[in-house]
Amino acid sequence: MSVRVTAVVISHDQPEWLSKTLAALISQTRAVDEIIAVDTSKGQVCAEVFRQFAISPIIKRSDTSFAALVAAGIAQATSIFTTPNLAGDSLAPLNGDLDKKVEGQHTWYWLLHDDSVAEPDALEKMLAAADLSPSVALLGPKQLDAANPKIIVQQGLTLTKLGGIFSIVDDELDQAQHDGADDVLAIGSAGALIRADLYRRLQGFDRHAPNLASDIDFSIRARLSGYRVVVVPSARISHATLSLKGLRPRRWLRAAVPTAMRRAEIHLQLAYLPAALVWFYALALPLNGVVRALVSFATKRPALASGQFAAAIWGFATVGARLMSRRKIALSRTVSLKALWPLRATWSSVRNRNRIRQAHVADDFADQQTAAIAQIAGDSRGRHVANKHFAAAGGWLVFFALLISSWQFWPTNAAATGGSLSAMSDNWLALAGRAGASWQNLGLGFAGPSDPFNWLLAGLGALWFATPSFALALAILLARSVAFAGAWFAFGFTSKRAWVRNALALAYALWPSLLAAQYQVRIGAIFTWMLLPWLVLAVAKLIANSAGTAARGRQSSWVGLSGILFAAVAVASPAVGLIALLAWAVLCLCNLKRLKVLLWVPTLAITLLAPYAWFMAVVLQKSLAIFADPGLPLDSAQNSFVEIFLGSALATETHGQTWLFAWPVCIALLALAALLSSRALVAGALIAFATVAASAGYVFQNIWFASLAVHGSSASLTALAAMALLLAAGLGLELAVSKFKRASSGFVTVATIAAAVASMAFFGISQAPATASNLALSFSDGRSLPALVLAEAEQGSRLRVLEITNRKDDSYSARFISAGGSRLETNSTAYSFALAQNLASSEPFVQANALVANLISANGLKLSEALAKANVGYVLVPTNSALELSASLNSVSELEPIGQTEFGLLWRVRDAQDASRPVDSFMQSWSITKSVQLAAILIFLLLAIPGAPKRRAKNTGAIFDENDEDFSETDFAVADFADTDYSSASSSSRDQDEVEGRN
């Protein structure tokens, strides 16, 4: 019997690989009878390659549907089994004579991708295997890795029990252990040999199937038609798997690789599920997408989340096309799906594959960071410098020295107060209840978002669950030490010399603005200074982790940590959050290949700040109010740009000794010196960013928040300027060290460093700022109301306390305090602005003003109804106002004097009944907004939990394991913070590493 073979070669913008494929094709020991070229490339380069091999005709197609391309090629073949109708999508009834042998001839179609290079005897061996059984109509070769022919990338495909695509042999060393394999459920289309009568019977590949599902769908339909699908291990091809590695243009798969893979699975599930389950599965696809996206977060694969959801929506929107595929399956089906069940992957094989992929590997991240440091610093010898750990570099010694130098902040009681700080609730659940709440128990009640800063307070309070206020007091004490530790690690991306990192981190921890924020108790600025270095470290490691295969398993942890730290800094200082967001945008533009990971960094911050920003900007129409510092209002002095840039103004304002803070000038000089190094572009960018941050601080300090009666503060923004300036100074120090042999530069270096160290040392010894007169911090037991009132509140009373104060201008002010007292978490910036704008003119507040006026005037009016309507149970007059008001309040018949307390004179309302509406405390603190924010926080916390690094063996082309997370989207090239790669290897080695990383 004669055999005719028509080769159909499909090319797509890969002329180099196409040349290799065609050279191997014409070198076959069993020559093909006809070659059909189908080219989807945009240019003419691939067409020229076909012409060089004297191949014609060349079919040019812009469509990237694999089914349509194969049909177009076969339509040009001279086989008697082929008709032009095959290029269409006809579902006409089958002709029974089509399966008969005509004139004793078998016709075969051999499909070749432009990146599949066949060994010389591949076709001959597949034809020989086909002759052994007339039922064999679809054959596939063993696919080896193009870069390493000893590795098997694919040898048959199947489906898991749940419908996931599974490669039977994936990334294994070829030791002939699978050469006995034969029947499989499906084969890949690269190198597939198809008998013409089967192709005509099945009416070609399904045009409704995505490209990654078309070959599996065709194989299953062949099985359902009674034919055998086999792998011929002795027939071998080298397959570069460019599509699966994401190295083809996006239009080929019409989606990112993970999304395309999930689309393929959804198609196969909808096409082959039992009819009773199809519609249920189709309607549940959106929910399925949400669940799988959340699982991607929980299993530390954030880059896959969007693809999971997008694929589910795609399947839901195109369910009609999936049903058309079911019609095509039914036309030729003679075997039940149940008969194919044994060919599916077993549960144990899936578990074994997952265990292999989750094997631990050595962590080579330290070596990557060493190379990164050397490249940033421009020091070719940097890799030979010992990279000491924190303890070996004396970090703990400095840490505890800074802790000792902060002895003035040692908590002497449970709660810290003063400056912008007041005590927090003793109950952590109450503290957490205020975070994200949309109802504020302030005044007479207020519907508006709580300050996003409450989320940070709730997180901090959880560290000392029994007494959250004590955790806040400890944070103030540890501010310098924590800032030093974070800066020490962050500056490792500038230099790995221990003394350089110690000096720079110490300068950051003793930066005048941080010291001033501590003494003035600017709680938002303190947290910004503490957390900013850790944020820089997390983002830098996130990008650096993108470069290495061994450390890539920790990438999701850095995504989670970066998101949490970015959110913490943004809620501590919204102004810093805005400038940090601009820096993040620039970073994204410079790292477009890492965009899918970097996009997650500000997501949590936006989620926490969005409701608050919308309320301020849209409801209250006070856009600038968004940037008010959290905590109690605290006014700021006006400083010059230079003072803000160097951080000396705030310190002078607090301590009055400018000369003690000379080291910022030395740091600025070292930063300018970095402009002379090979890293001038990096240094210039850092200095420019420091200038932008200082300029923003100068503008911000001139904003007058009338509702708070304070100016904006630049204390937080100076942290950004200091961090950027110190990073640039690190580059300057590296330059100075490399040029130290020159006498002139050595003298300048020694003089500059000596001046900075002497200034810092003298400051630490003298403790000049440590005077009680300029320390705003004090400690108390946390109570803000008399014990009697608090005792009733603990019993469930919601009666308010009316506090009346006599001002210096002989006017009176009053405020309603909830029974639990005034706490830091109950402070609401939104309420302050709403009260000043229109809330005070509302009817309840007008009635409350009338009540206060009648109490002060003691005019004899009956006030029982008004007191009950305002739900007032006590009246409190601070000590400094007691003389003027005691006589009036004593004459009010509805009030019963209690006497002097530590907070002033107290009166009880006679026969007071709790008239407040019985609203569940859970409903007061919960809302849809809070649910969304809490869910986002939990997702990022799950991501932040360190996971074991994953093994990703080199040169693999298969990604068909349904639990595989290492798609090409998450395989990023080496981070590029500046104008060169971090790698210190040669360009050729770097290119090879990048290719292997994508594999």
Side-chain angles (χ1 to χ4, degrees), residues 413-455:
N413 212 324
T417 59
S420 65
L421 191 62
S422 63
M424 295 195 300
S425 175
D426 291 334
N427 185 347
W428 182 84
L429 293 177
L431 174 63
R434 301 318 311 148
S438 297
W439 171 262
Q440 313 305 321
N441 191 20
L442 295 170
L444 299 174
F446 171 65
S450 65
D451 286 3
F453 185 63
N454 286 344
W455 283 112

Short mmCIF file of all heavy atoms in Angstrom, two decimals, residues 413-455:
data_model
loop_
_atom_site.label_atom_id
_atom_site.label_comp_id
_atom_site.label_asym_id
_atom_site.label_seq_id
_atom_site.Cartn_x
_atom_site.Cartn_y
_atom_site.Cartn_z
N ASN A 413 3.82 54.10 82.40
CA ASN A 413 2.44 53.70 82.65
C ASN A 413 1.92 53.05 81.37
O ASN A 413 2.64 52.94 80.38
CB ASN A 413 1.58 54.89 83.05
CG ASN A 413 0.46 54.48 84.02
OD1 ASN A 413 -0.10 53.39 83.90
ND2 ASN A 413 0.15 55.33 84.98
N ALA A 414 0.66 52.67 81.39
CA ALA A 414 0.13 51.85 80.30
C ALA A 414 -0.07 52.63 79.01
O ALA A 414 0.06 52.06 77.91
CB ALA A 414 -1.20 51.23 80.71
N ALA A 415 -0.38 53.92 79.07
CA ALA A 415 -0.77 54.67 77.88
C ALA A 415 0.09 55.90 77.71
O ALA A 415 0.42 56.59 78.69
CB ALA A 415 -2.24 55.06 77.95
N ALA A 416 0.48 56.19 76.47
CA ALA A 416 1.23 57.39 76.14
C ALA A 416 0.28 58.46 75.65
O ALA A 416 -0.64 58.19 74.86
CB ALA A 416 2.27 57.07 75.07
N THR A 417 0.48 59.69 76.10
CA THR A 417 -0.34 60.82 75.67
C THR A 417 0.57 62.02 75.42
O THR A 417 1.72 62.06 75.85
CB THR A 417 -1.39 61.19 76.73
OG1 THR A 417 -0.71 61.51 77.96
CG2 THR A 417 -2.36 60.06 76.96
N GLY A 418 0.01 63.00 74.72
CA GLY A 418 0.77 64.21 74.43
C GLY A 418 0.95 64.40 72.93
O GLY A 418 0.95 63.43 72.16
N GLY A 419 1.13 65.64 72.51
CA GLY A 419 1.28 65.93 71.10
C GLY A 419 0.04 65.54 70.33
O GLY A 419 -1.07 65.96 70.64
N SER A 420 0.21 64.72 69.30
CA SER A 420 -0.94 64.26 68.50
C SER A 420 -1.50 62.96 69.03
O SER A 420 -2.31 62.31 68.36
CB SER A 420 -0.51 64.08 67.05
OG SER A 420 0.44 63.03 66.93
N LEU A 421 -1.10 62.58 70.22
CA LEU A 421 -1.41 61.25 70.75
C LEU A 421 -2.32 61.33 71.95
O LEU A 421 -2.20 62.20 72.80
CB LEU A 421 -0.10 60.55 71.13
CG LEU A 421 -0.14 59.06 71.47
CD1 LEU A 421 -0.61 58.27 70.27
CD2 LEU A 421 1.24 58.61 71.90
N SER A 422 -3.26 60.40 72.01
CA SER A 422 -4.06 60.18 73.21
C SER A 422 -4.14 58.68 73.43
O SER A 422 -3.72 57.89 72.57
CB SER A 422 -5.47 60.78 73.06
OG SER A 422 -6.18 60.15 72.00
N ALA A 423 -4.66 58.27 74.56
CA ALA A 423 -4.70 56.85 74.89
C ALA A 423 -5.65 56.10 73.95
O ALA A 423 -6.63 56.65 73.46
CB ALA A 423 -5.15 56.67 76.34
N MET A 424 -5.34 54.84 73.73
CA MET A 424 -6.22 53.98 72.95
C MET A 424 -7.07 53.15 73.91
O MET A 424 -6.85 53.11 75.10
CB MET A 424 -5.39 53.07 72.04
CG MET A 424 -4.60 53.79 70.97
SD MET A 424 -3.99 52.69 69.67
CE MET A 424 -2.94 51.57 70.61
N SER A 425 -8.03 52.46 73.32
CA SER A 425 -8.91 51.62 74.12
C SER A 425 -8.13 50.46 74.72
O SER A 425 -7.19 49.94 74.12
CB SER A 425 -10.05 51.09 73.24
OG SER A 425 -10.85 50.18 73.95
N ASP A 426 -8.53 50.05 75.93
CA ASP A 426 -7.91 48.90 76.57
C ASP A 426 -8.40 47.58 75.98
O ASP A 426 -7.79 46.54 76.20
CB ASP A 426 -8.22 48.90 78.08
CG ASP A 426 -7.52 50.05 78.79
OD1 ASP A 426 -6.47 50.49 78.28
OD2 ASP A 426 -8.02 50.50 79.84
N ASN A 427 -9.50 47.65 75.24
CA ASN A 427 -10.09 46.46 74.62
C ASN A 427 -9.69 46.43 73.14
O ASN A 427 -10.09 47.30 72.37
CB ASN A 427 -11.62 46.51 74.77
CG ASN A 427 -12.28 45.24 74.26
OD1 ASN A 427 -11.66 44.42 73.59
ND2 ASN A 427 -13.56 45.09 74.58
N TRP A 428 -8.91 45.43 72.74
CA TRP A 428 -8.46 45.40 71.34
C TRP A 428 -9.62 45.22 70.38
O TRP A 428 -9.60 45.76 69.26
CB TRP A 428 -7.46 44.26 71.15
CG TRP A 428 -6.94 44.22 69.73
CD1 TRP A 428 -5.92 44.96 69.21
CD2 TRP A 428 -7.44 43.42 68.67
NE1 TRP A 428 -5.75 44.68 67.88
CE2 TRP A 428 -6.68 43.72 67.51
CE3 TRP A 428 -8.46 42.47 68.55
CZ2 TRP A 428 -6.90 43.11 66.28
CZ3 TRP A 428 -8.69 41.86 67.32
CH2 TRP A 428 -7.92 42.18 66.21
N LEU A 429 -10.65 44.49 70.78
CA LEU A 429 -11.79 44.31 69.90
C LEU A 429 -12.48 45.64 69.62
O LEU A 429 -12.94 45.89 68.51
CB LEU A 429 -12.77 43.31 70.52
CG LEU A 429 -12.26 41.86 70.63
CD1 LEU A 429 -13.30 40.99 71.32
CD2 LEU A 429 -11.92 41.30 69.25
N ALA A 430 -12.56 46.49 70.65
CA ALA A 430 -13.13 47.82 70.44
C ALA A 430 -12.24 48.65 69.52
O ALA A 430 -12.72 49.41 68.67
CB ALA A 430 -13.32 48.53 71.78
N LEU A 431 -10.93 48.50 69.69
CA LEU A 431 -9.98 49.20 68.83
C LEU A 431 -10.13 48.74 67.38
O LEU A 431 -10.20 49.57 66.46
CB LEU A 431 -8.55 48.94 69.32
CG LEU A 431 -7.40 49.49 68.47
CD1 LEU A 431 -7.45 51.00 68.41
CD2 LEU A 431 -6.07 49.01 69.02
N ALA A 432 -10.20 47.43 67.18
CA ALA A 432 -10.36 46.90 65.82
C ALA A 432 -11.72 47.25 65.24
O ALA A 432 -11.88 47.40 64.03
CB ALA A 432 -10.17 45.39 65.83
N GLY A 433 -12.71 47.40 66.13
CA GLY A 433 -14.05 47.75 65.65
C GLY A 433 -14.13 49.12 65.01
O GLY A 433 -14.95 49.36 64.13
N ARG A 434 -13.27 50.05 65.42
CA ARG A 434 -13.29 51.39 64.84
C ARG A 434 -12.61 51.45 63.48
O ARG A 434 -12.85 52.36 62.70
CB ARG A 434 -12.60 52.39 65.78
CG ARG A 434 -13.18 52.52 67.17
CD ARG A 434 -14.70 52.56 67.19
NE ARG A 434 -15.27 53.50 66.23
CZ ARG A 434 -16.44 53.32 65.62
NH1 ARG A 434 -17.16 52.24 65.84
NH2 ARG A 434 -16.89 54.23 64.78
N ALA A 435 -11.72 50.50 63.19
CA ALA A 435 -11.01 50.50 61.91
C ALA A 435 -11.97 50.18 60.78
O ALA A 435 -12.63 49.14 60.80
CB ALA A 435 -9.87 49.49 61.95
N GLY A 436 -12.05 51.06 59.82
CA GLY A 436 -12.91 50.84 58.67
C GLY A 436 -14.38 51.06 58.91
O GLY A 436 -15.20 50.82 58.01
N ALA A 437 -14.76 51.51 60.12
CA ALA A 437 -16.18 51.70 60.43
C ALA A 437 -16.74 52.90 59.66
O ALA A 437 -16.04 53.88 59.40
CB ALA A 437 -16.36 51.91 61.93
N SER A 438 -18.01 52.81 59.31
CA SER A 438 -18.68 53.89 58.59
C SER A 438 -19.62 54.69 59.49
O SER A 438 -20.27 55.63 59.02
CB SER A 438 -19.47 53.33 57.40
OG SER A 438 -18.61 52.73 56.47
N TRP A 439 -19.69 54.32 60.76
CA TRP A 439 -20.48 55.08 61.73
C TRP A 439 -19.58 55.43 62.90
O TRP A 439 -18.93 54.56 63.48
CB TRP A 439 -21.69 54.28 62.22
CG TRP A 439 -22.40 54.95 63.36
CD1 TRP A 439 -22.27 54.70 64.69
CD2 TRP A 439 -23.34 56.02 63.27
NE1 TRP A 439 -23.05 55.52 65.44
CE2 TRP A 439 -23.74 56.36 64.59
CE3 TRP A 439 -23.89 56.73 62.21
CZ2 TRP A 439 -24.65 57.36 64.86
CZ3 TRP A 439 -24.81 57.73 62.49
CH2 TRP A 439 -25.17 58.04 63.80
N GLN A 440 -19.51 56.73 63.21
CA GLN A 440 -18.63 57.19 64.27
C GLN A 440 -19.46 57.65 65.47
O GLN A 440 -20.36 58.49 65.32
CB GLN A 440 -17.75 58.36 63.78
CG GLN A 440 -17.09 58.12 62.43
CD GLN A 440 -16.28 56.84 62.40
OE1 GLN A 440 -15.60 56.50 63.36
NE2 GLN A 440 -16.36 56.12 61.29
N ASN A 441 -19.15 57.10 66.63
CA ASN A 441 -19.86 57.45 67.85
C ASN A 441 -19.25 58.73 68.44
O ASN A 441 -18.67 58.74 69.52
CB ASN A 441 -19.79 56.30 68.85
CG ASN A 441 -20.74 56.49 70.02
OD1 ASN A 441 -21.69 57.28 69.94
ND2 ASN A 441 -20.47 55.81 71.11
N LEU A 442 -19.38 59.83 67.70
CA LEU A 442 -18.83 61.12 68.09
C LEU A 442 -19.95 62.14 68.16
O LEU A 442 -20.85 62.14 67.31
CB LEU A 442 -17.78 61.59 67.07
CG LEU A 442 -16.51 60.74 66.95
CD1 LEU A 442 -15.69 61.19 65.76
CD2 LEU A 442 -15.69 60.86 68.22
N GLY A 443 -19.86 63.01 69.15
CA GLY A 443 -20.90 64.02 69.28
C GLY A 443 -22.26 63.37 69.41
O GLY A 443 -22.51 62.55 70.30
N LEU A 444 -23.14 63.72 68.48
CA LEU A 444 -24.47 63.14 68.46
C LEU A 444 -24.59 62.00 67.47
O LEU A 444 -25.68 61.56 67.13
CB LEU A 444 -25.50 64.23 68.11
CG LEU A 444 -25.56 65.40 69.10
CD1 LEU A 444 -26.49 66.49 68.60
CD2 LEU A 444 -25.97 64.92 70.49
N GLY A 445 -23.43 61.54 67.00
CA GLY A 445 -23.41 60.47 66.01
C GLY A 445 -23.06 61.02 64.64
O GLY A 445 -23.53 62.10 64.25
N PHE A 446 -22.24 60.28 63.89
CA PHE A 446 -21.77 60.79 62.61
C PHE A 446 -21.59 59.64 61.63
O PHE A 446 -20.91 58.66 61.92
CB PHE A 446 -20.43 61.53 62.80
CG PHE A 446 -19.75 61.93 61.53
CD1 PHE A 446 -20.32 62.85 60.67
CD2 PHE A 446 -18.53 61.36 61.19
CE1 PHE A 446 -19.68 63.20 59.49
CE2 PHE A 446 -17.88 61.71 60.02
CZ PHE A 446 -18.46 62.65 59.17
N ALA A 447 -22.24 59.77 60.47
CA ALA A 447 -22.11 58.76 59.42
C ALA A 447 -21.00 59.19 58.47
O ALA A 447 -21.17 60.10 57.67
CB ALA A 447 -23.42 58.60 58.67
N GLY A 448 -19.87 58.57 58.59
CA GLY A 448 -18.72 58.90 57.76
C GLY A 448 -17.59 57.92 58.03
O GLY A 448 -17.60 57.21 59.04
N PRO A 449 -16.61 57.85 57.14
CA PRO A 449 -15.53 56.87 57.31
C PRO A 449 -14.60 57.24 58.45
O PRO A 449 -14.32 58.41 58.68
CB PRO A 449 -14.80 56.93 55.96
CG PRO A 449 -15.07 58.31 55.46
CD PRO A 449 -16.45 58.68 55.93
N SER A 450 -14.14 56.23 59.15
CA SER A 450 -13.14 56.46 60.18
C SER A 450 -11.79 56.73 59.53
O SER A 450 -11.59 56.45 58.35
CB SER A 450 -13.03 55.26 61.11
OG SER A 450 -12.54 54.13 60.41
N ASP A 451 -10.86 57.26 60.29
CA ASP A 451 -9.53 57.52 59.75
C ASP A 451 -8.86 56.21 59.36
O ASP A 451 -8.85 55.25 60.15
CB ASP A 451 -8.67 58.24 60.78
CG ASP A 451 -9.07 59.70 60.95
OD1 ASP A 451 -10.06 60.11 60.30
OD2 ASP A 451 -8.42 60.41 61.73
N PRO A 452 -8.29 56.12 58.15
CA PRO A 452 -7.58 54.88 57.77
C PRO A 452 -6.45 54.52 58.73
O PRO A 452 -6.05 53.35 58.81
CB PRO A 452 -7.03 55.22 56.37
CG PRO A 452 -7.91 56.33 55.87
CD PRO A 452 -8.30 57.12 57.08
N PHE A 453 -5.95 55.52 59.47
CA PHE A 453 -4.88 55.27 60.42
C PHE A 453 -5.28 54.26 61.48
O PHE A 453 -4.44 53.61 62.10
CB PHE A 453 -4.50 56.60 61.08
CG PHE A 453 -3.32 56.53 62.00
CD1 PHE A 453 -2.06 56.17 61.53
CD2 PHE A 453 -3.45 56.82 63.35
CE1 PHE A 453 -0.97 56.11 62.38
CE2 PHE A 453 -2.36 56.76 64.20
CZ PHE A 453 -1.12 56.40 63.72
N ASN A 454 -6.60 54.10 61.69
CA ASN A 454 -7.07 53.14 62.69
C ASN A 454 -6.67 51.71 62.35
O ASN A 454 -6.51 50.87 63.25
CB ASN A 454 -8.59 53.24 62.83
CG ASN A 454 -9.01 54.49 63.59
OD1 ASN A 454 -8.19 55.12 64.25
ND2 ASN A 454 -10.26 54.87 63.47
N TRP A 455 -6.52 51.40 61.05
CA TRP A 455 -6.08 50.06 60.68
C TRP A 455 -4.66 49.81 61.19
O TRP A 455 -4.35 48.70 61.65
CB TRP A 455 -6.13 49.88 59.17
CG TRP A 455 -7.51 49.66 58.62
CD1 TRP A 455 -8.23 50.50 57.83
CD2 TRP A 455 -8.33 48.51 58.83
NE1 TRP A 455 -9.46 49.95 57.53
CE2 TRP A 455 -9.54 48.71 58.13
CE3 TRP A 455 -8.16 47.32 59.53
CZ2 TRP A 455 -10.56 47.77 58.10
CZ3 TRP A 455 -9.18 46.38 59.52
CH2 TRP A 455 -10.37 46.61 58.82
#
